[in-house]
Amino acid sequence: MKIGIAGLGYVGLPLAVAFAEAGHEVVGLDVDPRKVERINAGRSHVEDVPDAALAPLAGRLRATAAYADLASCEAVVICVPTPLTGSREPDLTYLLDSATALSQILQPGQLVVLESTTYPGTTRERLVPILEQSGLSAGTDFHVAFSPERIDPGRTDYTVRTTPKLVGGLTAACAERARELYALICDEVVVLSTPETAELSKLLENIFRSVNIALVNELAQLCDRLGIDVWEVVDAAATKPFGFMRFEPGPGMGGHCLPVDPFYLAFKAREHDFYPEFIELAGKVNQTQPAFCVERIERALNEAGKPVNGSRILVLGVSYKAGIGDTRESPSLKIVRRLVELGGAISYHDPHVPSLPDLGLASVELGPALESADAVAIVTAHPGVDYADVVARAALTIDFRGVTRGIESPSLIRL
Ligand SMILES: NC(=O)c1ccc[n+]([C@@H]2O[C@H](COP(=O)([O-])OP(=O)(O)OC[C@H]3O[C@@H](n4cnc5c(N)ncnc54)[C@H](O)[C@@H]3O)[C@@H](O)[C@H]2O)c1
C-alpha cells in the first residue's frame, strides 16, 4: 500500500516507520521543513526512533512538506498536535489546518484516519465537513475513521504491533477499510461501532490514569501529615492479587496527554450541560502536586536552618517521565520555576535534556554539582543514575519518586 502520515512527531514518525518496515511505501508530511529535511537525511528527532531504524527505509519512507504528495496515497493518517489554548480549551487549529489542506487534494476512494487525541464528535462534526469541501461525500466517495494512538514513549515491552488498535468508522465500510489498514502492522485490531466510541475510549484510558495518579498523590500529601511512608502503603496494597491496580505517587502529571485530555472531555461535556467534577478534581489535585513538592523542599531546607533564597538546589530530571527527553507540561519545570522565583540558585542534571533555553539553564555534570548543593531534589528518576551515591554525597536529598526506598540516611527525605 501507499500510506500518507500527516504530522511526523512522537506519534506520526513511529507509525510511518512501522508501515515502512512492514514493506509499504510511506509519504510522511510535516509543516516543519527542518523535520522533513532531517528525516530525509536519515536523522530522527524522536527518541523512540533511532537513526539506525531510518537508514534501511530510505527507499520506502520519504518526508515532504507538500500536501499534494499525499494525493497518490490510498490512506492518510492524521497525527497532528491537539493541545490546549491559553484559556485551557481544545485547540483544534493544527487539525483544522491539516484537514483544510487535505480537502484540497482529497481523491475518491481514499481513507482518512484521525489519530490525534480529541473529544468525542471531532471526527464527525469537525473533520468530515472540512474534508467534504472537496466536493466528495464521506462514507461513499471516501472513507473516514478515528483510531486513537496508544503509544507510551520510552516503553519497549509493548510495541505498535503488540498493542491492540481501536478503530471506529463513520460507516461499516469505513471501519473495515481502517481495520485492513492497521492489520498491516498490528496483531489485533478492535472494531468499534462509531468514531465517537473510539474517541472517548482514548480519553477514558488517559483519565483513568489521571484519576488514579491524583488519588495516590493526595494520599502522599496525607501520609506526609500523618508521618506514614506512602511507598510502603502502596507496596502493601499492591500485594492484593485482585481488585487493586498500582499507581505511583510523584511530583505531578506531565506530557502531552494526561494534563490535557481531561479538558477536552470537560469542554464537550459543557456543551451538554454536564460537569464532570470527578475528572476535573483529579486534574486539580495533580496540578497542585508540584506546589506541594516546592513546599516540601522549603520545609526540608528550613529544618537544616536554610531558606530557599540563596540556597543551591540541584534538580535531578526535568523531563516529564523517566528515560525520555520530552519536557511538555513537565511538573519538574513548574518546580524549577517556583524555586527560581523564591530566590533559589537552581541547577539541574538531566541526560536527556541538555538545556532549558526559556530558563537560561543547561544540564550540569552530576558529580561536582552533588557536593556543592545545599539540597538535591529527585524529580524525574532517569535510569542510569546511582541514587544511593546521590544520597551518600548530597548534604540533603529529597526524593519525589521513591527511588531511594531501602536507603536509610538522616539527610534523606522521601515523598
Ligand atoms: N506523544 C504521545 O505520547 C501521544 C500518545 C498518544 C496520543 N498522542 C496524540 O497524538 C497527537 C500528536 O501528538 P505528538 O506527541 O506526536 O505531537 P508532536 O508535536 O510530537 O508532533 C506533531 C507534528 O505535527 C506537525 N504538524 C503541525 N501542524 C501540522 C499540519 N497542519 N500538517 C502536518 N503536520 C503538522 C508538527 O510539526 C509536529 O511535527 C496529539 O493529538 C496527541 O495528543 C500523543
Side-chain angles (χ1 to χ4, degrees), residues 5-14 29-33 35 45-46 48 64 67 78-83 93-99 101 114-118 148-153 202 206 255-257 260-261 264 320 324 326 328:
I5 309 285
L8 297 173
Y10 286 90
V11 168
L13 187 58
L29 177 138
D30 205 288
V31 288
D32 182 344
K35 287 184 184 159
H45 56 278
V46 172
D48 283 351
T64 178
Y67 267 88
I78 304 174
C79 307
V80 297
T82 43
T93 326
Y94 302 97
L95 172 56
L96 303 183
D97 285 353
S98 180
L114 177 60
E115 283 216 9
S116 304
T117 308
T118 186
E149 176 50 58
R150 290 171 143 178
I151 203 164
D152 182 10
K202 170 70 187 177
N206 282 352
H256 186 33
C257 295
V260 172
D261 296 355
Y264 268 73
Y320 84 88
I324 63 165
D326 190 348
R328 289 180 291 183

Side-chain angles (χ1 to χ4, degrees), residues 123-380:
T123 306
R124 194 184 301 271
E125 295 159 14
R126 306 302 303 270
L127 177 62
V128 165
I130 296 178
L131 293 178
E132 288 187 330
Q133 285 169 10
S134 60
L136 301 172
S137 291
T140 48
D141 300 328
F142 66 99
H143 292 115
V144 180
F146 181 84
S147 178
E149 176 50 58
R150 290 171 143 178
I151 203 164
D152 182 10
R155 182 165 216 128
T156 49
D157 52 351
Y158 285 96
T159 61
V160 171
R161 178 156 292 283
T162 58
T163 307
K165 193 84 173 106
L166 303 180
V167 297
L170 206 60
T171 63
C174 293
E176 179 51 20
R177 286 280 309 275
R179 192 196 61 74
E180 285 167 9
L181 174 71
Y182 288 109
L184 302 173
I185 52 165
C186 302
D187 291 340
E188 187 183 351
V189 182
V190 181
V191 177
L192 304 173
S193 58
T194 61
E196 288 77 9
T197 321
E199 290 162 333
L200 188 53
S201 306
K202 170 70 187 177
L203 293 182
L204 171 62
E205 289 167 17
N206 282 352
I207 290 165
F208 171 81
R209 285 184 55 70
S210 167
V211 167
N212 282 287
I213 292 169
L215 179 64
V216 280
N217 279 340
E218 194 175 65
L219 196 75
Q221 295 196 23
L222 175 63
C223 282
D224 180 58
R225 299 266 176 105
L226 299 177
I228 295 173
D229 182 344
V230 68
W231 302 97
E232 197 182 346
V233 173
V234 172
D235 285 344
T239 61
K240 188 177 179 185
F242 51 87
F244 183 80
M245 187 178 281
R246 185 193 181 96
F247 281 84
E248 307 273 331
M253 241 171 26
H256 186 33
C257 295
L258 296 197
V260 172
D261 296 355
F263 290 98
Y264 268 73
L265 189 56
F267 166 83
K268 188 66 185 175
R270 278 199 304 276
E271 279 184 7
H272 293 263
D273 272 342
F274 188 90
Y275 297 88
E277 292 178 35
F278 203 60
I279 297 167
E280 292 193 8
L281 178 63
K284 201 166 123 190
V285 171
N286 286 325
Q287 295 302 326
T288 59
Q289 192 72 357
F292 171 74
C293 294
V294 170
E295 188 263 326
R296 192 69 197 84
I297 294 169
E298 273 183 292
R299 217 173 343 128
L301 277 168
N302 188 48
E303 282 157 16
K306 294 174 185 174
V308 171
N309 195 348
S311 286
R312 282 160 307 200
I313 304 168
L314 171 66
V315 172
L316 296 191
V318 291
S319 62
Y320 84 88
K321 68 179 252 191
I324 63 165
D326 190 348
T327 57
R328 289 180 291 183
E329 305 276 336
S330 172
S332 189
L333 294 186
K334 291 185 189 157
I335 292 172
V336 169
R337 278 203 188 93
R338 184 65 191 136
L339 291 173
V340 169
E341 279 167 12
L342 291 172
I346 310 304
S347 58
Y348 83 90
H349 170 78
D350 192 316
H352 297 268
V353 185
S355 65
L356 293 172
D358 288 357
L359 289 159
L361 294 173
S363 177
V364 297
E365 211 187 306
L366 190 54
L370 272 180
E371 267 142 33
S372 60
D374 295 299
V376 176
I378 303 169
V379 184
T380 305

